[in-house]
Amino acid sequence: MKILAIESSCDDTSTAVLEDGVVRANVVLSQDELHRPYGGVVPELASRSHMRAILPLVDTALERANTSLEEIEAVVATYGPGLVGSLLVGLNTGKAIAFAQGVPFFGVNHLEGHLLSPLIEGNLSFPYVGLVVSGGHTNLYLAEDYGHYTHLGSTRDDAAGEAFDKVAKLMGLGFPGGKVIDELARQGDPQAITFPRARLKNSGNGRFDFSFSGIKTAVALWLEEHPLDSDSARADLAASFQEAVVDMLLETSFAALEAVGCRHLAIAGGVAANSRLRARAAALSEEHNVQVVIPPMRYCTDNAAMIGFAGWRHLIQGERHDLDLNAVADLPL
Ligand code: KG4
Ligand code: ZN
């Protein structure tokens, strides 16, 4: 089955073509430059930029996959969660193409796209614990099969990527902050400053929640008393902050693995691009004899390939959505 997939939930416009779950083309247009002067995503600018980009990107994906709309057998698009103005652009484009071509349509949950992304190319099978960690989400799931997901925990405040972005802003490093902090931290000492690690009481009911607002405040307070007057001070702060976030992410994920008796961990979403998270996860994988799978970078940050893959699994079960499907900003998984 040849599928056209569209993703526009936040600030990346992306289109993809998949054939029986195999990615034939995956095109992403980042809006980072557009939002950089504002230090964060401006929703109105994001949706306007999606509108300009979406149709040319559909053409590009079709061209790169060496195919045409006439050969597309189904269309899928993200319908939530995300910024509603952004979601509407990709969703309505997808529905319109499906209608015009007379092919089935399926709306995909963005979080399911991230959660299944390690399966696109990875050597991973169910059951696994999936950590979806991005600018908008920090969620842990037990994935037992396609469509069978148990929510194990979430952030109670900021998403981990949001903490990276906010701390980068506090440090005057620009947007988006994750990549800049990651690079800066390579020159720093992760033990230079001991920031508090939020350890939430899991109250014995199988919840594995996170909290990242405390670390952001701790960095702000630290900055009030310590001017960043050298490259090494900046690098040490970046490395120490990053170490605390990575500790919290991995400690909670490994506690969840232990609790559900699973030996497979998948990490997905933009923050999975973090080099320290990857290195520490690899070390823990050896130590605990747990398989850790992190998709290649192009499937970590927002992309339509993962939406196409998740949508394909639903379509082959005969699932379809009517064309009155609306965008849902806070769609849960
Ligand atoms: O999945 P994604 O592209 O979009 C959302 O759905 O949010 O994730 C973007 C987030 C941003 O917060 C960005 O700062 C973070 O991922 N990020 C990183 C790195 N690269 C991107 N965070 C830490 N280290 C990185 N190397
Ligand atoms: Zn995402």
Side-chain angles (χ1 to χ4, degrees):
M1 179 188 276
K2 212 179 245 192
I3 297 175
L4 171 68
I6 300 177
E7 153 65 36
S8 70
S9 63
C10 187
D11 61 338
D12 291 316
T13 323
S14 182
T15 54
V17 173
L18 289 88
E19 198 170 349
D20 298 329
V22 177
V23 181
R24 299 292 184 212
N26 180 45
V27 191
V28 183
L29 186 73
S30 158
Q31 299 180 3
D32 285 353
E33 291 302 324
L34 179 70
H35 301 291
R36 186 160 292 133
Y38 308 95
V41 176
V42 183
E44 179 65 14
L45 292 182
S47 55
R48 276 196 239 168
S49 175
H50 285 308
M51 284 205 294
R52 279 193 291 272
I54 195 75
L55 289 177
L57 280 195
V58 168
D59 287 341
T60 308
L62 292 169
E63 253 168 52
R64 290 198 190 163
N66 207 9
T67 188
S68 65
L69 271 188
E70 285 62 45
E71 289 182 8
I72 293 296
E73 293 162 89
V75 181
V76 303
T78 307
Y79 79 107
L83 300 169
V84 77
S86 288
L87 287 164
L88 282 169
V89 178
L91 176 62
N92 285 328
T93 305
K95 290 194 297 185
I97 294 174
F99 178 70
Q101 298 301 121
V103 297
F105 175 80
F106 190 80
V108 175
N109 184 317
H110 182 82
L111 294 170
E112 186 178 26
H114 275 305
L115 183 60
L116 298 183
S117 66
L119 297 172
I120 301 176
E121 283 184 3
N123 171 26
L124 175 70
S125 45
F126 295 110
Y128 61 87
V129 168
L131 171 67
V132 176
V133 61
S134 71
H137 312 281
T138 305
N139 299 337
L140 261 181
Y141 301 97
L142 173 64
E144 290 180 278
D145 201 346
Y146 293 110
H148 292 86
Y149 317 121
T150 308
H151 181 223
L152 300 175
S154 284
T155 181
R156 297 208 186 152
D157 37 60
D158 292 347
E162 194 179 354
F164 270 96
D165 295 338
K166 286 180 176 170
V167 165
K169 199 170 176 179
L170 286 172
M171 292 175 69
L173 296 173
F175 171 86
K179 200 166 169 239
V180 198
I181 289 187
D182 190 350
E183 277 160 18
L184 187 59
R186 282 173 212 178
Q187 273 83 53
D189 172 8
Q191 317 301 337
I193 310 157
T194 308
F195 286 118
R197 274 78 166 147
R199 291 198 172 82
L200 301 176
K201 288 240 172 309
N202 290 324
S203 55
N205 62 357
R207 282 204 60 85
F208 297 90
D209 287 338
F210 305 87
S211 168
F212 297 101
S213 68
I215 175 102
K216 179 195 63 191
T217 309
V219 172
L221 291 174
W222 193 89
L223 276 170
E224 278 178 18
E225 287 172 19
H226 305 81
L228 287 179
D229 49 10
S230 69
D231 287 347
S232 71
R234 256 186 293 277
D236 283 350
L237 177 57
S240 301
F241 158 74
Q242 177 175 271
E243 197 69 1
V245 174
V246 168
D247 270 353
M248 289 187 271
L249 288 172
L250 291 178
E251 234 177 63
T252 304
S253 300
F254 275 77
L257 281 166
E258 175 99 32
V260 299
C262 180
R263 305 215 142 271
H264 307 274
L265 174 68
I267 309 181
V271 180
N274 185 267
S275 61
R276 186 69 181 160
L277 179 65
R278 285 172 174 257
R280 293 274 315 280
L284 284 173
S285 153
E286 295 253 313
E287 204 178 297
H288 294 265
N289 192 23
V290 162
Q291 182 197 18
V292 177
V293 177
I294 305 181
M297 301 280 258
R298 62 184 180 283
Y299 300 144
C300 281
T301 46
D302 287 348
N303 66 89
M306 68 181 189
I307 300 305
F309 185 82
W312 169 64
R313 293 302 316 185
H314 287 276
L315 286 163
I316 58 176
Q317 302 296 324
E319 294 174 55
R320 309 283 185 261
H321 275 129
D322 290 334
L323 294 182
D324 59 3
L325 181 73
N326 209 347
V328 184
D330 58 354
L331 184 68
L333 179 66

